[in-house]
Amino acid sequence: MSALIPALERQPDKPALCFGDVVLSYAQLAGAAYALAGKLAGRGRVAVWATPTPHTALAVVAGVLAGVPVVPLNPRSGARELAHVLADSTPDVVCVAPETELPEAAAGLTTLTVTLAPPADAAPLARPEPGPDASAALIVYTSGTTGAPKGVVLSRRAVAATLDDVAEAWQWTGDDVLVHALPLFHVHGLILGVLGPLRRGGTLRHLGRFSVDGVTRALTEQGGTLLFGVPTMYHRLAESAGEDAALARALGGARLLVSGSAALPVYDHERIRSATGARVIERYGMSETLMNTSTRPDGPYRPGTVGVPLPGVDVRLVDDDGERVEADDGETVGEIQVRGPNLFTEYLHRPDATNGAFAGGWFRTGDVATRDADGFYRIVGRKSTDLIKSGGYKIGAGEIENALLEFPGVREAAVTGAPDPDLGERVVAWIVPADDAAPPDEAALTDHVAAQLAPHKRPREVRFVTELPRNDMGKVMKRELR
Ligand code: MCA
Ligand code: AMP
């Protein structure tokens, strides 16, 4: 039996994964995943070309069963980003869906094609021993303020702890049918969104791509009870729900709507509440910490807050002098620091960065918040201006600046986030051209970023300036730019 997915073999006929018309029952999933796990067992690390398909979910389950660390790859990674992740994580093999053509940067890697059909022979399936709880289950890449993304090593224990914590908070059970359209290479879509329902013995219905109609159908005709999304998705649902009675009914009929990965503005909370009667549950997490806090369906509704600490997580606020903030007045701000079994093990190959991320055993999130007398946290900002959250994706300014600087005709570059009603923040590039009279072509410049890094890191706006504001040390003063 799998400790991480104990329900895998208990309910053979129940649907486990639904992607469009493709439905895998628990028996089919277990059969196909154990067969693949047999091929993965004993390998160092296994990459998964994480398209939004059942093949990705199956390959990740197989890696978990085999006790081999899984590295999900963004299938839209640009050349440089992909080369970096592969060079850093050195997977032995990449699991792909049939007919996948890997880009140049992944050429030369051994591929393993994932098939959904369990093996036809009745031979007992190989059941490799999973690793101990402290061993790595997944390595998820996340952007930092500078440099290339870091691999966040997440143990089996951390994954289990966070999934059980949110299950308790949300009363999430095997009867739930989770609906989402999140990408499968980050914590939200993959750990919460795929391993979550499987650990509970429930069902996942993945939409492939987000659409208002897809959500409506999944929550009505297709039996969805639970919806996960980033604020951009809820914003788009809020935009439609006022006029779209079918959508309003679908959202109103869901057991639970959960938002995370960035702040859901109070305005969107309220629009959804008034159109549907439903209140959105907001939870706060991070790749490094998995889930930390949540509002609760059985507790007070406090839009604009991220709720209270989950049962297994210690949360504190710390001021600029490193002192714990004792005030719970809803006004005094401090950095959120967390401790608990949900935390990551390390940044792969980056002991310096791992050490720097902790203060006396507490992980420093970089998020700044207040806490009220009822223990509700309200995130009010971020310590660094160099991290941008756009569409729920974390984007490091430094990485984009490096890509911009190598483009012909760019003398200096700075990247900031600007408020955006749909994306939360949008990426803005400030460019000092080498020649004011002949600035670089905007589209070519942003295409370059998308091709090297990823489409969601593409600047949505380019502003040409004659110089960047700098302080006496020569550092760009981003707050002035914004
Ligand atoms: C955009 N596009 C452009 C330009 N701008 N093309 C040319 N020039 C431009 N200037 C392209 C995009 O690349 C995209 O391409 C298309 O236009 C549509 O863009 P847009 O509508 O803005 O975005 P979208 O593709 O609709 O995506 C919105 C989204 C997405 C669905 C909300 O951002 C998303 O899936 N976000 C989820 C992020 C997430 O899961 N984060 C979790 C990490 P094309 O049409 O080809 O696609 S955080 C986490 O895990 C922690 C633990 C947590 O707390 O959860
Ligand atoms: P990532 O590194 O991509 O995992 O993103 C983690 C960051 O997302 C956190 O440090 C927060 O800044 C942000 N975040 C996640 N959930 C929320 C939320 N509910 N409200 C505000 N910010 C959030």
Side-chain angles (χ1 to χ4, degrees):
M1 195 184 77
S2 159
L4 209 49
I5 314 176
L8 192 59
E9 290 164 89
R10 266 190 225 145
Q11 34 185 7
D13 298 328
K14 186 170 179 174
L17 302 171
C18 311
F19 282 74
D21 295 335
V22 179
V23 178
L24 287 191
S25 68
Y26 271 89
Q28 288 168 317
L29 175 64
Y34 272 119
L36 182 57
K39 298 181 192 166
L40 300 180
R43 300 203 187 236
R45 295 188 195 105
V46 171
V48 174
W49 193 248
T51 50
T53 60
H55 305 80
T56 295
L58 196 154
V60 172
V61 170
V64 163
L65 295 177
V68 176
V70 173
V71 185
L73 302 173
N74 175 357
R76 300 190 65 188
S77 290
R80 169 154 345 134
E81 185 165 298
L82 182 58
H84 162 73
V85 171
L86 292 174
D88 192 54
S89 60
T90 57
D92 291 351
V93 63
V94 186
C95 293
V96 297
E99 289 164 42
T100 301
E101 260 188 56
L102 292 180
E104 187 72 25
L109 285 172
T110 308
T111 56
L112 197 56
T113 302
V114 178
T115 46
L116 299 180
D121 54 42
L125 291 165
R127 282 178 167 66
E129 277 296 306
D133 281 358
S135 67
L138 287 130
I139 302 171
V140 175
Y141 278 79
T142 190
S143 292
T145 50
T146 54
K150 298 191 285 285
V152 177
V153 179
L154 296 162
S155 70
R156 306 166 73 82
R157 179 166 51 218
V159 171
T162 214
L163 292 178
D164 293 348
D165 248 6
V166 294
E168 192 279 332
W170 304 337
Q171 292 136 36
W172 185 2
T173 72
D175 292 333
D176 279 307
V177 176
L178 170 65
V179 172
H180 75 81
L182 294 157
L184 300 186
F185 46 85
H186 277 314
V187 166
H188 195 169
L190 185 59
I191 297 186
L192 259 57
V194 174
L195 297 179
L198 296 179
R199 183 164 171 85
R200 301 272 74 81
T203 302
L204 163 65
R205 178 164 285 282
H206 194 279
L207 302 179
R209 202 184 169 102
F210 176 80
S211 75
V212 168
D213 288 348
V215 169
T216 305
R217 233 174 307 118
L219 290 178
T220 49
E221 295 153 37
Q222 296 166 334
T225 64
L226 192 56
L227 177 70
F228 285 178
V230 294
T232 300
M233 295 173 181
Y234 283 103
H235 174 77
R236 294 178 188 180
L237 294 170
E239 292 275 277
S240 301
E243 269 113 60
D244 181 341
L247 171 65
R249 265 197 310 277
L251 294 174
R255 191 180 74 70
L256 214 58
L257 309 174
V258 184
S259 176
S261 300
L264 182 64
V266 172
Y267 177 58
D268 285 328
H269 266 285
E270 284 171 353
R271 284 200 298 175
I272 293 177
R273 174 90 161 159
S274 75
T276 72
R279 58 192 214 186
V280 178
I281 292 298
E282 188 153 355
R283 97 301 181 276
Y284 158 65
M286 208 173 165
S287 302
E288 291 89 334
T289 65
L290 303 179
M291 297 304 116
N292 298 314
T293 69
S294 182
T295 55
R296 299 184 57 121
D298 56 357
Y301 178 50
R302 299 270 172 83
T305 79
V306 293
V308 297
L310 289 164
V313 188
D314 282 342
V315 181
R316 67 176 190 180
L317 295 179
V318 172
D319 68 18
D320 285 344
D321 300 325
E323 297 297 326
R324 191 174 182 134
V325 173
E326 302 294 348
D328 50 11
D329 51 9
E331 279 178 18
T332 312
V333 298
E335 179 186 19
I336 301 179
Q337 299 189 349
V338 294
R339 203 168 61 172
N342 52 314
L343 258 55
F344 74 132
T345 315
E346 58 171 347
Y347 292 116
L348 190 66
H349 309 314
R350 295 292 307 275
D352 54 328
T354 308
N355 285 336
F358 286 87
W362 294 79
F363 176 75
R364 300 157 51 196
T365 64
D367 293 310
V368 176
T370 63
R371 181 183 50 232
D372 70 16
D374 297 323
F376 279 70
Y377 286 79
R378 181 184 301 274
I379 296 178
V380 296
R382 217 174 282 132
K383 285 198 112 168
S384 172
T385 49
D386 285 329
L387 286 177
I388 299 160
K389 265 269 159 166
S390 188
Y393 286 113
K394 179 145 112 182
I395 301 174
E399 214 188 334
I400 303 180
E401 286 159 1
N402 291 341
L404 291 168
L405 279 170
E406 64 187 25
F407 195 79
V410 173
R411 185 160 69 207
E412 290 181 80
V415 165
T416 58
D420 185 281
D422 183 44
L423 296 169
E425 286 181 288
R426 64 177 177 279
V427 176
V428 179
W430 303 80
I431 303 289
V432 181
D435 175 0
D436 283 342
D441 179 64
E442 255 184 68
L445 187 61
T446 61
D447 282 352
H448 169 75
V449 174
Q452 290 301 317
L453 304 178
H456 64 264
K457 295 181 181 174
R458 176 202 296 275
R460 303 288 170 124
E461 215 179 294
V462 178
R463 301 205 193 150
F464 293 105
V465 288
T466 49
E467 61 179 339
L468 296 174
R470 290 183 186 273
N471 64 16
D472 294 344
M473 313 287 288
K475 193 171 181 299
V476 178
M477 294 187 291
K478 295 213 172 165
R479 291 193 202 271
E480 289 206 359
L481 278 173
R482 290 194 300 177

